[in-house]
Each structure stands twice: as structure tokens, then as C-alpha cells.
């Protein structure tokens, strides 16, 4: 058997540990390759929108590539940590340190080659499906047909082979400093039970409390101002929470005899206490990476919802026209709606702006206001002569001017109108407060309008599916500031924003899958040690039922402790985001966090099943 065959056999005989390393690496390659397919697609080049998509794909691909370096390095380090004893025994048998480093180098390059090849092959198999998904999600006019992505294949293959080469060199260099006695003892060398520092424990509570409080109390633009300090506080607090606060809590629980001696708690918490130093680093890394994933997806999803909701709220009518050439252009709109089999109710008026106390103020008469209120099913108003109401915009306050109307409007009769009532409405096109007076009083206003603009709105009752097509025709004939179609505006908004959301979703999934892989490696690094430990304890009377309970609790703590922290971090971050937008993002936050939580639960049950199966088989 040659040395290369020996290295190959080492890989095939350690399939359990290498499986997650191989699959995670292959998934990362596949995602990178998928982005490369998009970036080099012939359709995604030329116009501005597709150019932005391509740029976004390039940037995202390299973000994933940089993250992949650290992820694969961590995975490889975890794998080598569990093989210390194996390396020590090989050195006793006569293998030199140089040969061990060469063996590790060859093994890692072998895994790197096959995971890169597998990732590209998997990407090609699902390429057409991914392109169809992207075509619909990105709302691209042209079809994203399948093509042979030679450039994407070459870029992905070369990039990841180079990445694995440098990681292999790095881990080989690290092994040079390991002494024989350390390798032989491997994981049996006790690291001692960690001790909590009271000052650092309290610091964790203070840092997290201050970070959360500042984030939740900030409003509007202040959210951006405090963002960096809050992030630093929460990161520091999270690290101290896992390295100090968790150790302190476990120590207190161990001292509480009624709890510690209850059933299998002694076994669970004693083991957790000694492993907390290693677990803390993994918990910290997983919680931060998961928080990034939650916040990235939540922010993008929330921003899209805020943008589309704002467009719909600000424009309650299906189609509106505001301009000077009313007769000709309104006729064109009506003709186009008729051609596209669109039926709608409509209302029209002159938007009149008066000079009142040195300000240009929009004043509407009651009949006009009621006509437009009926279009969107709002309540009509009934004013008598001498009455005037202030109307404030309802529903979307971000960026709206805070104006308090208290002007007086003079009439030809000598009477003066003062508003003594405020109502909230979206009937007329003004986000700033305006006045509504009775029709009789409107005719008696002493000054002539300083400015008048014709305004007409259509509320579609049938043929809504044809509105976007009709709007595209009208956009080519009318000025953008004259014609507005809320369905078309939302369509264009989604069209321009969808690439960002799509890219962010991919990156978020990569980060979350990586976080799950970190937990997998942390659990399986101690598998051989756990087999021996539980086998010895079983001889002292630990039943299979009790063993399953201990394994379930142990795995649950490993998987859900960092995820719960990440969920809390994500919830606070998304709440702060809703304060910035002055828009309720509760539904979007629950959806994003809930989906990630469900994925983690499914992942937990899968890993627990196979982990418990191996432990129970070893004990029996």
C-alpha cells in the first residue's frame, strides 16, 4: 500500500466525521457556483437593472467565498482535534511529523477536490430549476434559459481548489508544533472545570441589558446612530454570557442539591460544566453567525414590505392622473383601459392651492372630498356653512412633515373660518395636512387660487390582472409625474428589489447552514469519548431510557442555547428596524425567525437520531 493509498483509506474509513465536512463544503461550492451561473448568464447583461443583478451576484459570491475560507478552516480544525490520538499512535509506529503533515495535506486536498467537483455537478443538475426560480423571483422580462456555464465552472473549480490548497498548507503547518505526548493523550487531557469571574459575569448582564435597552429605545434616524455601539456591546455581552455567565449559572445549579441530584441532572450538568470552555466558543460563533442570517433576511424582507406597503398606502387609488392637458390625456387613459377590458369607477376635481397667511395651502370643497372618499370606501363628511376641518394623512408617517394647521381662511362675507376638528384620511393626494370646507364657503374664499391642477382617479373594479400591461403602455405616452398606477409601481419596485432579496436569502441560508455545521462538528468531536463514558456509566445501572433522556437534553442544549440567543438578538434588531421605519414589522419578524427556528428543530431531530443511535449501539 502506497502512502497515497494510505491517505485515501484514512478518508474513506472516517466517513462519519468527514461526511459533514464534505457535504457542507460541497453545499458552499454549489451556492458559489449558482451565483457564478447567474453572473455569467448572457441575459443578465446590458441594461441597468440586469447590470445591478450581475454586480450583486459578484459581490455576494465573493462574500460567500471569504466566509467559506473561515468555515472550512474551522471544520478542518475540528476534525483534526478529534484525531490527535490517531496521529500520536501513528508517530509511535514510526511515522514522522513530516509524513503526518503530508498525509493531512493529501486528505484535505482529496476532500477538497471531490467536494468542489460534487458541488459543481450538483449545481449543474439543479441549474435549470434554479434558473427558473430566479427568473420568477427576480421578475426578469427575458427567459433565463439553460446554458453551458464554462466560465462559472472554471472560476468555481479554480477558486475552491486554491482555497483548499491554502487551508491544507495552514493546517499542516499548525501540526508542526504538536508534541508527541499531547497527540497521544488527545482529548483525554483534562482542561479542568472552568471558573466564572463574578465581575465578568455581571459585565455580561450589563452589556446585554444596555445594548438591548438602547436598541429598543432608539427611534427614527437615532437607530442608525446607535447601531455600531449596540452591535459591539451585544457581541461582547454574548461572548461573556457564554464564557462567564453560563458557567456561573451551571455552578449555582450544581450547588443546589435538590436540583443537581434529581434523576440524571448530575450526569448532564457535570459533563456540561467540564465542556463549557469548548462549547462556549462554538455557542458564541453560532449565535453571532445565526444572528447575521436572521438580521440579513429580516431586514431585506422587512424593507421590501415597508416599501410596497408605503406605495399602496400613499396611493389608495388604482390609477391617478395629475396634469394640465387633462382632456386629451384623460381620454387616452380611458381608451387604454377600455382596450385592456378594465372597468373602473372614477372621480375628478381641481386641486386648488391658496395663499393663506404667507403659506400655500391646499383647500378642498366637501363634494370633491366625498367623491374621492367613496372611491376607497372611506366615510364621507357633512359640513355646514362656517365649518372647516383639517385632514391629516393616515397610515404612513415615515418622512412626513409634522405640520400643525391653525391658519384662518377669510370669506367674501367677512366671516373667518377656523378649523376646530381633525380627521384622518387618504382620500386626496396630500401627505401634508389640508383643509376641507363646504361647497358654499369654497366659493366665498376671498383670494383666487395661487395654483390649480387637474386631478382624476380610477378605482379598478374588474380586469385587475390587465392593469400592469395597460400601465406599461400609458407610461410610454405620459410623463411619470402625471400618471401613477399603484400596481405598476409595486411591480417595478419588486422588480428592482427582488435581486437584492434573492441574494440576501442565499447568503442568509449559507450562514445558517454553516452555523448548523459548527454544532454538528462540536457534537461529533466528542463522540468516541462519549461512547466510552456512557458505556462505563451504563455498567453502574444507567438504563437505556435514562440514557436517551440524557442524550436528548445534551443535544438540545447544544443546538438550542445559541439559537435562542440568536433569536432574541434578531428580535431586538428587527424591532429596532421597525422603529427606524416607523412601521410595524412584527409579522415579518415572526415569519423569518419562525422559519429559521423550524429549520433548526428539524436539523436537531435528524442529528439527535443518528448521534443517539451510535451511542446506544456502543453501550449495548
Amino acid at each position: 500500500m502506497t502512502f497515497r493509498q494510505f491517505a485515501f483509506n484514512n478518508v474513506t474509513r472516517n466517513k462519519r466525521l468527514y461526511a459533514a465536512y464534505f457535504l457542507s463544503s460541497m453545499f458552499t461550492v454549489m451556492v458559489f457556483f449558482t451565483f457564478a451561473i447567474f453572473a455569467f448568464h448572457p441575459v443578465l447583461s446590458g441594461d441597468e437593472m440586469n447590470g445591478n443583478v450581475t454586480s450583486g451576484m459578484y459581490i455576494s459570491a465573493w462574500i460567500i467565498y471569504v466566509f467559506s475560507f473561515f468555515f472550512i478552516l474551522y471544520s478542518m480544525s475540528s476534525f483534526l482535534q478529534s484525531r490527535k490520538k490517531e496521529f500520536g499512535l501513528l508517530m509511535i509506529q514510526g511515522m514522522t511529523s513530516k509524513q503526518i503533515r503530508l498525509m493531512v495535506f493529501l486528505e484535505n486536498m482529496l476532500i477538497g477536490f471531490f467536494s468542489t467537483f460534487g458541488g459543481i455537478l450538483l449545481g449543474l443538475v439543479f441549474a435549470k430549476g434554479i434558473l427558473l426560480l430566479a427568473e420568477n423571483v427576480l421578475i426578469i422580462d427575458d427567459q433565463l434559459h439553460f446554458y453551458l456555464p464554462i466560465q462559472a465552472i472554471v472560476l468555481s473549480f479554480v477558486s475552491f481548489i486554491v482555497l483548499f490548497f491554502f487551508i491544507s498548507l495552514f493546517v499542516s503547518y499548525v501540526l508542526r508544533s504538536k508534541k508527541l505526548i499531547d497527540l497521544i493523550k488527545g482529548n483525554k487531557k483534562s482542561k479542568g472545570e472552568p471558573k466564572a469571574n463574578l465581575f465578568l459575569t455581571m459585565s455580561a448582564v450589563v452589556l446585554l441589558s444596555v445594548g438591548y435597552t438602547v436598541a429598543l429605545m432608539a427611534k427614527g434616524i437615532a437607530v442608525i446612530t446607535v447601531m455600531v455601539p449596540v452591535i459591539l456591546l451585544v457581541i461582547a455581552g454574548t461572548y461573556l454570557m457564554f464564557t462567564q455567565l453560563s458557567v456561573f449559572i451551571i455552578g449555582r445549579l450544581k450547588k443546589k442539591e435538590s436540583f443537581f441530584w434529581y434523576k440524571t441532572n448530575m450526569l448532564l450538568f457535570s459533563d456540561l460544566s467540564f465542556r463549557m470552555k469548548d462549547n462556549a466558543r462554538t455557542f458564541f460563533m453560532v449565535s453571532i453567525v445565526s444572528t447575521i442570517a436572521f438580521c440579513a433576511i429580516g431586514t431585506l424582507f422587512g424593507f421590501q414590505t415597508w416599501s410596497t406597503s408605503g406605495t399602496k398606502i400613499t396611493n389608495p387609488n388604482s390609477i391617478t392622473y395629475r396634469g394640465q392637458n387633462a382632456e386629451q390625456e384623460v381620454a387616452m387613459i380611458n381608451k387604454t383601459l377600455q382596450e385592456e377590458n378594465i372597468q373602473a369607477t372614477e372621480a375628478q376635481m381641481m386641486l386648488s392651492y391658496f395663499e393663506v397667511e404667507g403659506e400655500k395651502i391646499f383647500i378642498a370643497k366637501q363634494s370633491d372630498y366625498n367623491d374621492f372618499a367613496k372611491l376607497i370606501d372611506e366615510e364621507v363628511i357633512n359640513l355646514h356653512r362656517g365649518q372647516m376641518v383639517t385632514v391629516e394623512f393616515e397610515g404612513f408617517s415615515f418622512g412626513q412633515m409634522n405640520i400643525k394647521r391653525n391658519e384662518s381662511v377669510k370669506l367674501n362675507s367677512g366671516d373667518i373660518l377656523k378649523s376646530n376638528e381633525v380627521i384622518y384620511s387618504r382620500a386626496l393626494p396630500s401627505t401634508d395636512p389640508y383643509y376641507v370646507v363646504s361647497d358654499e364657503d369654497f366659493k366665498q374664499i376671498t383670494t383666487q387660487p395661487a395654483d390649480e391642477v387637474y386631478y382624476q382617479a380610477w378605482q379598478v373594479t374588474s380586469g385587475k390582472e390587465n392593469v400592469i400591461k395597460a400601465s406599461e403602455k400609458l407610461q410610454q405616452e405620459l410623463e411619470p409625474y402625471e400618471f401613477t398606477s399603484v400596481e405598476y409601481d409595486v411591480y417595478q419596485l419588486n422588480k428592482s428589489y427582488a435581486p437584492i432579496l434573492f441574494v440576501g436569502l442565499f447568503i442568509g441560508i449559507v450562514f445558517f447552514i454553516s452555523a448548523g455545521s459548527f454544532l454538528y462538528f462540536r457534537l461529533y468531536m466528542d463522540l468516541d469519548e462519549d461512547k466510552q463514558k456512557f458505556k462505563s456509566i451504563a455498567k453502574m445501572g444507567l438504563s437505556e431510557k435514562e440514557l436517551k433522556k440524557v442524550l436528548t437534553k445534551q443535544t438540545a442544549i447544544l443546538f438550542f442555547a445559541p439559537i435562542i440567543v440568536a433569536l432574541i438578538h434578531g428580535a431586538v434588531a428587527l424591532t429596532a428596524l421597525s422603529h427606524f421605519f416607523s412601521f410595524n414589522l412584527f409579522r415579518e419578524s415572526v415569519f423569518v425567525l419562525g422559519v429559521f427556528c423550524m429549520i433548526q428543530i428539524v436539523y436537531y431531530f435528524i442529528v439527535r437520531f443518528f448521534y443517539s443511535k451510535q451511542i446506544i449501539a456502543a453501550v449495548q
Side-chain angles (χ1 to χ4, degrees):
M1 183 171 63
T2 65
F3 192 80
R4 291 187 182 87
Q5 290 175 326
F6 181 74
F8 179 82
N9 290 335
N10 267 344
V11 174
T12 57
R13 292 168 185 170
N14 285 282
K15 292 188 291 291
R16 171 181 53 80
L17 279 174
Y18 265 124
Y21 180 33
F22 173 77
L23 292 174
S24 300
S25 300
M26 186 172 67
F27 175 80
T28 305
V29 174
M30 188 191 76
V31 174
F32 181 90
F33 178 63
T34 301
F35 276 109
I37 289 177
F38 293 148
F40 292 113
H41 199 286
V43 172
L44 296 178
S45 59
D47 61 48
E48 184 179 350
M49 183 267 178
N50 291 338
N52 292 335
V53 174
T54 306
S55 300
M57 294 298 176
Y58 278 129
I59 294 170
S60 302
W62 290 113
I63 289 174
I64 292 173
Y65 185 75
V66 172
F67 182 78
S68 299
F69 176 84
F70 294 103
F71 167 64
I72 295 172
L73 182 62
Y74 175 85
S75 303
M76 190 62 190
S77 300
S78 299
F79 178 74
L80 293 177
Q81 188 76 15
S82 64
R83 296 180 62 194
K84 281 183 177 180
K85 185 177 178 181
E86 176 192 338
F87 295 151
L89 293 174
L90 288 173
M91 292 181 73
I92 290 177
Q93 297 297 321
M95 183 175 283
T96 65
S97 177
K98 183 178 180 180
Q99 287 176 319
I100 286 180
R101 296 199 304 274
L102 178 60
M103 180 187 73
V104 171
F105 178 84
L106 292 174
E107 288 177 359
N108 201 41
M109 288 302 297
L110 186 68
I111 289 293
F113 175 81
F114 282 106
S115 61
T116 302
F117 180 79
I120 293 173
L121 185 63
L122 199 63
L124 283 172
V125 170
F126 294 106
K128 183 56 182 176
I130 294 170
L131 288 171
L132 283 173
L133 174 65
E135 182 182 321
N136 289 279
V137 173
L138 298 180
I139 318 178
I140 294 174
D141 298 328
D142 300 315
Q143 184 180 4
L144 290 178
H145 59 271
F146 177 77
Y147 75 108
L148 188 60
I150 300 297
Q151 288 176 291
I153 292 173
V154 172
L155 177 66
S156 301
F157 187 81
V158 172
S159 297
F160 276 89
I161 290 298
V162 170
L163 184 145
F164 278 103
F165 176 77
F166 281 106
I167 288 178
S168 301
L169 286 179
F170 179 77
V171 295
S172 300
Y173 175 79
V174 170
L175 284 173
R176 292 181 60 184
S177 61
K178 300 297 181 182
K179 295 181 180 178
L180 176 61
I181 188 65
D182 293 330
L183 294 173
I184 295 173
K185 288 184 177 180
N187 292 331
K188 289 185 177 182
K189 189 176 180 180
S190 176
K191 298 177 182 179
E193 183 178 3
K195 301 294 182 181
N197 182 290
L198 185 59
F199 172 76
L200 295 178
T201 300
M202 295 302 297
S203 297
V205 177
V206 172
L207 289 171
L208 288 175
S209 300
V210 172
Y212 285 168
T213 303
V214 172
L216 295 174
M217 290 183 65
K219 306 288 183 181
I221 197 66
V223 174
I224 302 298
T225 305
V226 303
M227 183 173 65
V228 173
V230 166
I231 290 174
L232 295 176
L233 287 173
V234 170
I235 289 176
T238 304
Y239 181 78
L240 292 177
M241 179 183 68
F242 286 125
T243 57
Q244 301 295 326
L245 181 60
S246 60
V247 174
F248 177 80
I249 292 173
I250 292 171
R252 300 294 291 184
L253 291 174
K254 287 176 67 177
K255 291 180 180 179
K256 191 175 182 180
E257 293 186 2
S258 59
F259 175 83
F260 186 66
W261 292 92
Y262 181 74
K263 294 186 177 180
T264 56
N265 283 354
M266 178 181 67
L267 180 61
L268 176 66
F269 284 93
S270 294
D271 184 70
L272 185 64
S273 176
F274 275 90
R275 289 185 177 178
M276 202 58 216
K277 186 174 182 179
D278 291 328
N279 286 347
R281 298 190 186 99
T282 304
F283 286 176
F284 170 71
M285 188 181 303
V286 170
S287 63
I288 296 302
V289 169
S290 299
T291 301
I292 293 172
F294 297 158
C295 291
I297 301 300
T299 299
L300 292 171
F301 188 37
F303 185 75
Q304 184 189 38
T305 303
W306 171 76
S307 301
T308 54
S309 297
T311 302
K312 292 177 181 178
I313 292 171
T314 308
N315 301 283
N317 298 295
S318 303
I319 296 171
T320 60
Y321 169 81
R322 185 195 309 221
Q324 302 295 338
N325 301 321
E327 185 175 348
Q328 179 182 351
E329 294 176 341
V330 167
M332 182 192 303
I333 294 173
N334 285 326
K335 181 182 178 182
T336 305
L337 295 181
Q338 187 177 4
E339 289 174 349
E340 298 296 334
N341 298 317
I342 298 171
Q343 296 181 358
T345 55
E346 57 188 88
Q348 54 278 327
M349 66 177 292
M350 294 297 293
L351 302 177
S352 301
Y353 298 86
F354 295 84
E355 287 284 349
V356 179
E357 298 182 9
E359 286 192 65
K360 186 182 286 188
I361 298 173
F362 171 42
I363 302 178
K365 56 185 177 182
Q366 175 184 287
S367 58
D368 288 338
Y369 174 87
N370 287 342
D371 288 343
F372 282 88
K374 291 174 185 176
L375 277 185
I376 59 174
D377 296 324
E378 282 191 357
E379 291 186 8
V380 298
I381 58 176
N382 186 19
L383 299 177
H384 301 292
R385 294 190 63 175
Q387 287 185 307
M388 182 172 72
V389 297
T390 302
V391 182
E392 292 193 3
F393 182 73
E394 179 184 40
F396 198 65
S397 60
F398 186 79
Q400 181 182 347
M401 295 177 66
N402 185 17
I403 301 173
K404 299 298 181 183
R405 290 277 178 237
N406 57 3
E407 295 90 352
S408 300
V409 177
K410 296 179 181 179
L411 304 181
N412 289 328
S413 62
D415 294 334
I416 297 177
L417 300 181
K418 289 284 289 186
S419 173
N420 56 8
E421 183 183 357
V422 177
I423 62 173
Y424 295 88
S425 170
R426 296 186 295 136
L428 297 181
S430 177
T431 55
D432 293 330
Y434 59 93
Y435 294 135
V436 177
V437 299
S438 66
D439 288 20
E440 294 83 358
D441 287 340
F442 186 83
K443 297 175 183 177
Q444 293 294 319
I445 296 177
T446 55
T447 59
Q448 292 298 314
D451 189 18
E452 284 189 314
V453 180
Y454 181 83
Y455 179 71
Q456 185 163 337
W458 292 260
Q459 196 69 13
V460 174
T461 55
S462 66
K464 292 183 179 180
E465 65 278 3
N466 300 323
V467 170
I468 293 177
K469 184 178 179 182
S471 300
E472 286 179 337
K473 292 181 179 179
L474 292 169
Q475 282 285 350
Q476 296 174 1
E477 301 294 334
L478 302 173
E479 296 293 336
Y481 60 85
E482 293 182 336
F483 173 79
T484 301
S485 168
V486 65
E487 291 294 330
Y488 184 71
D489 287 348
V490 170
Y491 168 78
Q492 291 286 31
L493 185 65
N494 287 334
K495 185 176 180 179
S496 61
Y497 189 75
I500 302 172
L501 185 63
F502 190 69
V503 166
L505 181 65
F506 260 84
I507 294 176
I509 290 174
V510 169
F511 275 44
F512 194 71
I513 294 293
S514 301
S517 299
F518 292 158
L519 296 174
Y520 177 92
F521 284 119
R522 178 65 259 165
L523 183 66
Y524 275 84
M525 271 178 62
D526 301 319
L527 181 61
D528 293 331
E529 184 181 336
D530 286 345
K531 285 180 180 179
Q532 295 298 323
K533 178 184 67 179
F534 286 115
K535 192 173 183 179
S536 300
I537 297 174
K539 293 177 181 178
M540 295 188 289
L542 184 70
S543 67
E544 184 175 328
K545 183 178 179 181
E546 290 174 326
L547 175 60
K548 287 182 178 179
K549 284 184 177 180
V550 172
L551 293 175
T552 297
K553 291 178 181 178
Q554 179 177 307
T555 313
I557 290 173
L558 180 71
F559 269 79
F560 293 112
I563 294 301
I564 289 173
V565 172
L567 288 172
I568 296 172
H569 288 352
V572 171
L574 295 177
T575 302
L577 182 69
S578 68
H579 291 167
F580 173 68
F581 289 135
S582 300
F583 184 77
N584 191 349
L585 295 174
F586 178 78
R587 185 180 63 179
E588 290 73 22
S589 301
V590 170
F591 176 77
V592 171
L593 298 178
V595 168
F596 277 112
C597 190
M598 289 302 299
I599 294 172
Q600 187 72 4
I601 290 172
V602 172
Y603 191 39
Y604 158 73
F605 279 112
I606 294 172
V607 172
R608 189 202 64 172
F609 172 77
F610 289 105
Y611 178 75
S612 300
K613 184 179 179 181
Q614 293 188 59
I615 295 292
I616 292 171
V619 169
Q620 292 174 344

